[in-house]
């Protein structure tokens, strides 16, 4: 019985698959020899070794560190556009989509020139098939109900599958050694050569120039595609231009540092930079710097500790910077946002309390036809005025006392302090101005204005209030346009 | 070329992978989380490494548990970063899986002087080899049937997925289309999300151990997206996705057998061809689907209505 042929070619492909990836990533940027591979555990570098790496004395270290730095700069830059377009995983799809192009380029190279592994041919093949992949994502997204994510998933898996199939065929090609072709997309961080450096620098410069020239167009595309289209910008052309830029960076990055690192480089620095700023130009700069710094640090560390693969260390450095930014970021960091959220909540609570007290007092004046004075009110009334729990009221009042807005005379009643009365007057007036505005100018039903006003009044600025005053022609405290407290009391 | 028993088993394993993947995959496509399979299959590396470090052996079960656990963690971390950091979900997925992969690499390098993890099948897949690995044999009459181990594993996973989807069909459907509505109906949308992610992780790990990760990613997304173009009904969509996946397995294997000789090569990788076959089915549906096909719409003069991404809504912060 015949032994199946296609099992034989496969074994090779299979074996290089994962282990190849690992070994490539493991090969380290160390200029030193591999003696420590025999011993377990990390061998700490001497001071001279550290100095040697910092001052980039070794040619190899210098090359690897500068190359990853440049790649980090370039991919940080284009990664911003991807992030803002919500297409961060495009780099993932793109880099996988390069594989069939490499296989086909190899076959063509062998048949046409007799040599398939020339870098130029493989680069062109990878770029073309990467672009076809990205183009398919855009086409699927634009012409069907399939969304971005599924389109990327489809292109990624189908193209990579095709690549695996083509490489599987190439392995059995007579007269041509195709072994190691996969390394083209798995990278070789540690063993980069001067040619890679030149390629990376060239692409980085092109990316930089394009980003600067197309700044305005890309910005508008990233933030408001619909607006860009309505203003007559060639949105699709810009989109494609942007993705060509991404593809260029990805392809040269791929063969230099490999799949995982380039995916991380395209996403992580940009996402980290986003936490620090709301200005696109600052973000681009910051993202490039973060990419560069993580490349430099990672490559440096792995040159010092030969057991640590360069690619992995760089990814971890970028991730570290990301997490620090996520927590401490000055524009959108977690701490910053939770702090301002707390502040806003405190402000809203205070304003609600003061207005409630004022409204209850106002009712008393009206019932007993007094002039506006600061009469004491009971906790019970306050509790029933809004949907507050007893504990909430207690907490709010305690804070009010602390801020010197409320005077708790005894355990039963409370009233406003002098500054609190002024504040309460102002807040209530703002609330009513806004309500009346909504009522008269925005055609909102009287029964609904209270809630709508509630969500806006807390952020009314002084100018806004003045504008409302002039528009409504009111200088003093207006009557509430709707029945307030009584209604609520009946509901309780 | 002749058709042998082994070819039948290859197709059966492929079809079982397709069914196991189509069940959670349909929900992934609807929830716009299609890249999750890709992310998980890269991210499980530290799980494999830790299992290897702890047990010191390449035993299947600890590896499976470790990988599945890290797979679920991938989903959890992605969710955390996207809700707390307000980062786009795709980006947070990318950050999580590249970081986990890097950690996995470091662990492996520290653990072993030469990598001793099962290298073969992770990326490319070796469905042909999997078919030779016989788990148990029985005979019907004089016909000896040798069931491969991966067929057993994938059969069990398919069955579990089927039971899960049938049991929680209503909950999964509501929470996929409208998490807020689900919450008002007393369904814990967050819980459903994590259950689904667990299912995806277990399926991905079980399948890529047997057949390689590339086919898992293909089978999770492509048949489900194809079915999405063909129907608006969820139940039918899942059924069609399984069917298309299984058909892709069959045609993929046929292509792997017949195409290379036709263009002058010896052989190729079956899993790659299966992924290509899912792509061919997708292109057909994309162009000619009765209601949503591109050409169909051009011919009938209908406009594409992009529905609002209902399933896209991330879970609310609680």
């Amino acid at each position: 019985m015949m032994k199946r042929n296609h099992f034989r070619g496969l074994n090779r492909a299979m074996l290089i698959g994962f282990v190849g990836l690992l070994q490539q990533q493991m090969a380290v940027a160390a200029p030193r020899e591999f003696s420590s591979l025999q011993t377990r555990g990390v061998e700490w570098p001497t001071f001279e070794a550290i100095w040697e790496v910092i001052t980039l004395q070794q040619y190899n270290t210098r090359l690897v560190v500068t190359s990853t730095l440049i790649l980090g700069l370039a991919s940080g830059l284009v990664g911003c556009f991807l992030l803002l377009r919500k297409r961060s995983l495009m780099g993932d799809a793109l880099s996988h989509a390069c594989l069939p192009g490499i296989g086909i380029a190899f076959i063509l190279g062998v048949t046409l020139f007799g040599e398939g592994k020339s870098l130029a041919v493989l680069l062109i093949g990878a770029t073309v098939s990467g672009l076809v992949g990205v183009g398919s994502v855009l086409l699927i997204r634009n012409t069907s109900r399939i969304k971005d994510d599924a389109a990327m998933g489809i292109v990624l898996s189908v193209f990579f599958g095709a690549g695996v199939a083509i490489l599987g065929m190439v392995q059995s090609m007579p007269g041509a050694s195709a072994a190691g072709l996969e390394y083209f997309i798995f990278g070789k961080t540690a063993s980069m050569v001067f040619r890679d450096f030149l390629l990376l620098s060239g692409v980085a410069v092109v990316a930089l120039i394009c980003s600067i020239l197309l700044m305005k167009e890309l910005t508008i595309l990233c933030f408001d595609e619909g607006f860009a289209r309505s203003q007559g910008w060639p949105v699709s052309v810009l989109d494609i231009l942007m993705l060509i830029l991404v593809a260029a960076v990805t392809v040269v990055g791929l063969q230099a540092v490999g799949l995982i690192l380039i995916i991380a480089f395209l996403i992580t620095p940009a996402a980290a930079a986003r936490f620090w700023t709301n200005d696109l130009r600052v973000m681009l700069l910051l993202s490039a710097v973060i990419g560069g710094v993580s490349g430099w640090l990672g490559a440096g560390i792995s040159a010092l500790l030969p057991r640590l693969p360069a690619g992995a260390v760089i990814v971890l450095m970028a991730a570290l910077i990301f997490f620090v930014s996520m927590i401490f970021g000055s524009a959108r960091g977690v701490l910053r946002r939770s702090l301002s959220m707390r502040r806003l909540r405190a402000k809203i609570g205070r304003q609600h309390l003061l207005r409630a007290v004022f409204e209850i007092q106002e009712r008393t004046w009206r019932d007993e036809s007094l002039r506006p004075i600061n009469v004491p009110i009971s906790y019970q009334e306050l509790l029933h005025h809004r949907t507050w729990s007893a504990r909430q009221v207690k907490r709010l009042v305690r804070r009010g006392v602390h801020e010197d807005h409320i005077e708790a005379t005894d355990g039963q009643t409370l009233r406003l302090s002098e500054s609190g009365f002024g504040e309460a007057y102002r807040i209530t007036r703002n609330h009513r101005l806004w309500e009346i505005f909504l009522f008269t100018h925005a055609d909102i039903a009287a029964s609904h204005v209270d809630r709508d006003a509630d969500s806006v009044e807390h952020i009314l600025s002084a100018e806004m209030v003045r504008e409302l005053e002039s528009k409504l022609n009111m200088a003093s405290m207006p009557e509430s346009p709707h029945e307030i407290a009584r209604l609520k009391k009946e509901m309780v | 070329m002749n058709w042998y028993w082994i070819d039948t088993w290859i197709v059966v394993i492929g079809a079982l992978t397709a069914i196991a993947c189509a069940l959670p995959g349909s929900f992934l496509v609807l929830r716009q989380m299609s890249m999750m399979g890709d992310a998980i299959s890269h991210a499980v590396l530290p799980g494999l490494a830790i299992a290897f470090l702890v047990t010191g052996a390449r035993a299947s079960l600890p590896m499976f548990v470790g990988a599945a656990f890290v797979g679920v963690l991938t989903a959890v971390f992605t969710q955390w970063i996207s809700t707390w950091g307000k980062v786009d979900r795709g980006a947070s997925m990318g950050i999580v899986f590249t970081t986990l992969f890097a950690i996995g690499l470091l662990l492996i390098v520290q653990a072993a002087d030469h990598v001793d993890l099962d290298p073969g099948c992770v990326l490319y897949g070796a469905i042909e080899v999997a078919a030779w690995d016989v788990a148990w044999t029985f005979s019907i009459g004089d016909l000896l049937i040798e069931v491969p181990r991966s067929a057993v594993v994938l059969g069990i996973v398919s069955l579990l997925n089927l039971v899960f989807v049938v049991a929680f069909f209503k909950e999964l459907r509501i929470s996929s289309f409208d998490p807020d509505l689900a919450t008002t109906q007393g369904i814990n949308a967050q819980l459903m999300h994590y259950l689904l992610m667990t299912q995806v992780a277990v399926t991905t790990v079980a399948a890529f151990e047997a057949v390689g990760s590339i086919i898992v990613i293909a089978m999770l997304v492509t048949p489900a997206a194809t079915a999405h173009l063909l129907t608006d009904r969820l139940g039918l969509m899942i059924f069609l996705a399984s069917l298309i996946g299984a058909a892709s397995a069959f045609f993929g294997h046929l292509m792997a057998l017949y195409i290379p000789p036709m263009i002058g090569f010896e052989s190729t990788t079956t899993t790659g061809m299966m992924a290509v076959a899912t792509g061919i089915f997708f292109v057909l549906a994309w162009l000619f689907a009765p209601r949503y096909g591109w050409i169909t719409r051009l011919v009938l003069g209908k406009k594409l209505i992009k529905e609002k991404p209902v399933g896209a809504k991330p879970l609310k912060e609680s």
Side-chain angles (χ1 to χ4, degrees), chain A residues 128-422:
Chain A
V128 169
S129 86
L131 284 177
V132 171
V134 171
S136 320
V137 172
L138 290 185
L139 202 64
I140 291 173
R141 178 191 106 113
N142 289 338
T143 61
S144 78
R145 66 198 304 221
I146 301 298
K147 311 276 179 339
D148 262 331
D149 67 309
M152 286 192 283
I154 292 165
V155 166
L156 182 149
S157 56
V158 173
F159 272 63
F160 198 76
V164 169
I166 292 172
L167 286 192
M169 291 188 226
V170 171
Q171 304 281 344
S172 60
M173 202 162 154
S177 153
L181 215 52
E182 300 84 354
Y183 296 155
F184 192 86
I185 72 164
F186 295 142
K188 49 178 192 321
T189 315
S191 46
M192 279 194 272
V193 290
F194 190 62
R195 199 176 50 180
D196 298 315
F197 170 74
L198 285 182
L199 254 175
L200 283 173
S201 320
V203 170
V205 169
V206 171
L208 184 68
I209 292 174
C210 287
S211 311
I212 292 172
L213 288 181
L214 293 172
M215 188 73 180
K216 188 173 72 182
E217 289 79 0
L218 291 178
T219 311
I220 207 170
L221 181 69
C222 286
F223 287 103
D224 199 338
E225 188 183 341
F227 177 71
R229 190 167 280 139
S230 73
Q231 293 291 301
W233 293 102
V235 169
S236 311
V237 176
L238 284 172
D239 222 10
I240 290 166
L241 254 172
M242 187 173 102
L243 287 169
I244 289 178
L245 215 56
V246 176
V249 174
T250 309
V251 171
V252 292
L254 262 186
Q255 58 92 36
V257 300
L259 197 82
I260 290 291
L261 181 51
I262 193 71
I263 295 170
F265 254 168
L266 281 172
I267 302 174
T268 318
R274 184 73 186 88
F275 288 115
W276 295 100
T277 176
N278 287 318
D279 183 334
L280 179 66
R281 274 161 305 177
V282 181
M283 180 178 159
L284 286 173
L285 198 70
L286 208 58
S287 164
V289 170
I290 292 174
V293 165
S294 39
W296 175 63
L297 277 180
I301 290 175
S302 115
L304 289 172
L305 305 169
R307 284 179 65 85
L308 302 184
V313 180
I314 296 174
V315 172
L316 289 182
M317 283 299 132
L320 190 70
I321 296 178
F322 171 82
F323 283 110
V324 171
S325 310
M326 176 167 147
I327 293 169
F328 299 105
S330 58
R332 283 158 62 103
V334 172
L335 279 183
R336 167 69 197 256
R337 270 190 303 110
S338 62
L339 203 69
S340 56
M341 189 75 105
R342 273 181 68 125
R343 261 192 223 135
L344 182 67
R345 223 173 264 151
K347 185 178 166 192
I348 291 175
R350 187 181 69 221
Q351 298 194 342
H352 281 169
L353 175 73
L354 292 179
R355 182 155 63 84
V357 174
F358 190 88
E359 281 172 356
I360 295 169
Q361 291 181 335
E362 196 185 35
R363 195 168 65 216
T364 322
W365 313 327
R366 207 181 305 152
D367 287 353
E368 303 172 14
S369 44
L370 294 167
R371 55 193 183 76
I373 47 159
N374 191 1
V375 287
I377 62 164
S378 74
Y379 274 96
Q380 273 309 309
E381 278 179 293
L382 193 58
L383 189 58
H384 287 159
H385 193 73
R386 294 183 76 98
T387 48
W388 274 327
S389 68
R391 197 201 283 163
Q392 259 176 315
V393 170
K394 219 177 256 170
R395 207 180 51 218
L396 284 170
V397 168
R398 204 182 315 129
R399 206 186 290 140
V401 170
H402 180 74
E403 286 169 341
D404 197 24
H405 285 143
I406 300 279
E407 285 170 355
T409 40
D410 46 62
Q412 300 301 311
T413 58
L414 57 95
R415 60 182 191 179
L416 297 164
S417 71
E418 201 167 316
S419 66
F421 191 76

Side-chain angles (χ1 to χ4, degrees), chain A residues 4 50 59 61 73 118 157 166 168 172 301 311 332 372 419 428 472:
Chain A
R4 304 302 297 271
I50 297 177
Y59 172 74
T61 319
L73 290 171
S118 103
S157 56
I166 292 172
S172 60
I301 290 175
R332 283 158 62 103
S419 66
T428 312
L472 300 171

